[in-house]
């Protein structure tokens, strides 16, 4: 059976003999979670970009409205003189 694994190997000596210890960890679940996190990050980035575009458009509309209001106020104040 194949699965993604993390392997830790260490060497030790005792009474003149050399030993090798190996620990094998199945990282299938960790990989699945990492992929899920990546997908969530991509979704969040897309949402941030969409919201930023909405806010930029709203700011443009507000600037236009502000210009219209300033022109109106200027006209009214001119007429009142």
């Amino acid at each position: 059976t194949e699965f993604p694994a993390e392997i830790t190997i260490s060497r030790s000596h005792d009474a003149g003999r050399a030993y090798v210890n190996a620990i094998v960890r199945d990282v299938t679940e960790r990989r699945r979670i990492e992929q899920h996190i990546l997908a969530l990050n991509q979704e969040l980035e897309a949402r941030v970009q969409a919201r930023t575009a909405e806010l930029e458009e709203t700011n443009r509309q507000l600037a236009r409205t502000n210009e219209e209001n300033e022109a109106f106020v200027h006209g009214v104040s001119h007429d009142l003189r």
Side-chain angles (χ1 to χ4, degrees):
T1 302
E2 290 186 16
F3 57 89
E6 178 181 87
I7 302 172
T8 304
I9 299 174
S10 63
R11 221 171 39 170
S12 62
H13 295 87
D14 185 30
R17 297 189 67 174
Y19 296 94
V20 176
N21 295 317
I23 300 171
V24 178
R25 289 183 191 91
D26 181 347
V27 294
T28 302
E29 184 66 10
R30 181 180 2 165
R31 293 269 175 93
R32 187 190 65 75
I33 291 169
E34 287 171 351
Q35 291 300 315
H36 183 68
I37 290 170
L38 287 173
L40 289 173
N41 284 342
Q42 290 172 346
E43 177 187 340
L44 179 58
E45 184 61 32
R47 291 172 60 192
V48 166
Q49 288 177 358
R51 183 65 177 139
T52 299
E54 289 173 10
L55 291 172
E56 288 171 346
E57 178 57 27
T58 299
N59 281 337
R60 282 191 289 276
Q61 291 173 0
L62 288 172
R64 280 192 299 273
T65 301
N66 191 43
E67 290 171 3
E68 292 168 0
N69 287 342
E70 286 176 358
F72 174 75
V73 168
H74 178 73
V76 169
S77 72
H78 182 72
D79 289 345
L80 291 177
R81 289 184 195 169

